[in-house]
Amino acid sequence: MPDTPASATPEQDARRRRTTSWVVFLSAAALVFDGYDLVVYGTVVPVLLADPSHLGTVTPGQAGTLGSYALVGVLVGALAAGAVGDRVGRRKVMLVNLAWFSIGMAVTATTQSVAAFGLFRFLTGIGVGALVATVGALVAEFAPPGQRNRYNAIVYSGVPAGGVLAALTAIALGDSIGWRGLFWIGALPIVLLLPLAVWFLPESPKWLVAHGRTAEAEAVSVRTGIPVPAPEPEVADKVGFPALASRRFAYPTALLGLMSFAGLLLTYGLNTWLPQIMGEQGYGKNHALTFLLVLNLAAIVGGLVASYVADRVGAKRVVTATFVLAAFSLAILPLSLPAGVLFLAVGLAGVGTIGTQVLIYGLVSNYYPTRARAAGVAWCAGFGRLGGIVGPIIGGVLVGAGVGGSTAFQLFAVVSLAGAVVALAVPRPAHAESRRRDLRPGEVGSTVTA
């Protein structure tokens, strides 16, 4: 289906494409720094474990717990964004939390103790969680019909892209700028992205219409070229989290949360502990970080390819398949594999774990109607972060007990299989798109949301 209204003028068409491009770019760039924050901690864990002069003595168990503090903050931030995002709008939440996240990273870089480091990891995580929960709703409301999984995959691929950035930065600059310098780099969004977002990020016309602000939606449409949809049939006028608890959505919401729990347990567990586990298996520092690089690069490529397939056969089937792929690749990682096969297995693990989570966000953001969409993505990101909290802790406990990486990989493989089973059980969305009429900018008409 074409992504522009048949009756749109070339000028309107150009404005629409330009606006959508800015929304996608700003959302993806914000998530690059989410991914950077996730992986940069994994790159500095070996340094903090080896040298107490930085923050004091850090044990493997403490390192796992410190990794989880940010995720507790992400949980709080995601749920808070879900509570207000469907009421105050997508744009305000994005702007506030770009600044919040950046300031948190900057202050973390100055901390001198384990306690202060953990506190500001938590506070930084609040901004990260709010961004993750908001961009899914935002992109789902700007993406062309028939391409929503692909657009979500492009945006959420910012997370593994940030992981790639963190791994490359740690390899190239870690010795010269130290772990504090790596965290200062994570504070750049406040000067690089926030001014652009203030100028180029519009409010979603779908959100405005869903809240009865049709005149504002028409003004935004004229300025941006984004069509104005008709009001959607809603869930007894419930907004946000109350809609998720309704009879219509309660069961699938629980399953989607569990699916995200599994995906983020795998994502955070591997990103936090893969360098340390590979280092203990005899690989040098740069080789261990290279595994992290391969994990995230493969997730980007694999996630984009899988999203293209998901737009054609359905995201649920593809998520199930990639979870199974993760289980297979994680199960063979502990084997004595040739170097080339080992890197391939790590890449497949990236597709099946981080890439799967990218697809999950796309599935969730298109599952709910506009008045519940931010809450749905927030639930996915927030409850899922409980898995992200558990993952680093499991790795820390196993490494601290001297069990080694084999047991961790095997446990992660079991989680992957469980995620596939949950994905199969998710019912089809009740409001799946059955028809759509693209509208001229500034015009209100009939449409059904996917």
Side-chain angles (χ1 to χ4, degrees):
M1 181 177 291
D3 66 351
T4 60
S7 58
T9 67
E11 183 183 356
Q12 291 166 338
D13 179 22
R15 284 202 300 269
R16 182 183 190 185
R17 291 179 180 275
R18 185 166 56 248
T19 299
T20 303
S21 296
W22 271 112
V23 170
V24 170
F25 167 74
L26 290 168
S27 299
L31 292 190
V32 164
F33 285 93
D34 173 21
Y36 182 90
D37 173 70
L38 159 64
V39 175
V40 78
Y41 178 69
T43 69
V44 305
V45 163
V47 175
L48 299 180
L49 289 174
D51 188 353
S53 67
H54 296 287
L55 296 174
T57 301
V58 179
T59 66
Q62 285 178 315
T65 302
L66 285 174
S68 297
Y69 285 164
L71 305 184
V72 175
V74 170
L75 169 63
V76 173
L79 295 179
V84 302
D86 285 318
R87 297 182 182 276
V88 305
R90 322 309 190 199
R91 186 176 187 273
K92 290 179 182 177
V93 176
M94 282 283 289
L95 297 180
V96 168
N97 286 285
L98 277 171
W100 183 299
F101 164 81
S102 301
I103 293 169
M105 287 292 283
V107 176
T108 302
T110 68
T111 55
Q112 302 294 326
S113 68
V114 172
F117 183 87
L119 172 63
F120 284 101
R121 289 288 292 161
F122 165 77
L123 293 175
T124 302
I126 292 176
V128 172
L131 289 173
V132 171
T134 303
V135 297
L138 186 70
V139 173
E141 291 166 10
F142 280 92
Q147 300 182 49
R148 287 169 181 161
N149 283 295
R150 196 184 320 172
Y151 273 62
N152 268 281
I154 291 171
V155 167
Y156 279 101
S157 289
V159 176
V164 170
L165 176 63
L168 288 175
T169 304
I171 291 171
L173 301 176
D175 291 337
S176 58
I177 66 176
W179 73 265
R180 297 184 189 278
L182 295 175
F183 274 81
W184 274 110
I185 290 174
L188 290 176
I190 198 168
V191 294
L192 297 182
L193 294 183
L194 185 59
L196 292 175
V198 169
W199 189 257
F200 291 109
L201 184 68
E203 185 54 87
S204 161
K206 280 190 178 181
W207 180 85
L208 291 168
V209 169
H211 287 75
R213 295 161 62 175
T214 305
E216 293 176 61
E218 291 173 349
V220 171
S221 180
V222 170
R223 188 174 72 251
T224 65
I226 302 296
V228 178
E232 300 172 2
E234 298 295 347
V235 189
D237 293 326
K238 292 181 178 178
V239 178
F241 288 116
L244 303 190
S246 68
R247 184 175 181 180
R248 179 181 176 186
F249 287 119
Y251 175 65
T253 293
L255 293 178
L256 291 169
L258 289 172
M259 198 162 59
S260 183
F261 180 97
L264 286 169
L265 185 153
L266 298 168
T267 296
Y268 280 79
L270 284 174
N271 271 302
T272 298
W273 288 107
L274 187 63
Q276 184 70 18
I277 290 172
M278 290 306 189
E280 291 182 354
Q281 293 183 5
Y283 295 93
K285 176 184 175 182
N286 283 348
H287 277 90
L289 290 175
T290 302
F291 284 115
L292 203 59
L293 184 63
V294 170
L295 183 83
N296 285 277
L297 274 175
I300 296 171
V301 177
L304 291 173
V305 172
S307 70
Y308 181 84
V309 178
D311 275 327
R312 281 150 182 76
V313 305
K316 173 181 167 178
R317 295 179 184 178
V318 180
V319 167
T320 302
T322 53
F323 263 133
V324 173
L325 177 66
F328 169 76
S329 56
L330 289 167
I332 67 173
L333 277 181
L335 304 179
S336 297
L337 302 173
V341 178
L342 182 59
F343 276 109
L344 176 61
V346 170
L348 292 176
V351 176
T353 56
I354 306 168
T356 296
Q357 187 61 31
V358 167
L359 294 172
I360 290 171
Y361 282 127
L363 189 157
V364 172
S365 63
N366 292 304
Y367 200 91
Y368 297 98
T370 302
R371 290 166 69 90
R373 183 169 288 120
V377 180
W379 163 254
C380 174
F383 184 80
R385 247 52 181 202
L386 293 176
I389 293 166
V390 170
I393 291 176
I394 289 175
V397 169
L398 294 176
V399 171
V403 175
S406 297
T407 302
F409 289 142
Q410 291 164 356
L411 182 58
F412 290 154
V414 172
V415 172
S416 299
L417 286 177
V421 172
V422 172
L424 283 173
V426 176
R428 292 174 62 84
H431 67 294
E433 184 176 70
S434 58
R435 64 188 177 89
R436 180 181 179 90
R437 178 169 69 85
D438 283 316
L439 304 172
R440 296 184 57 144
E443 173 184 309
V444 180
S446 174
T447 188
V448 180
T449 300

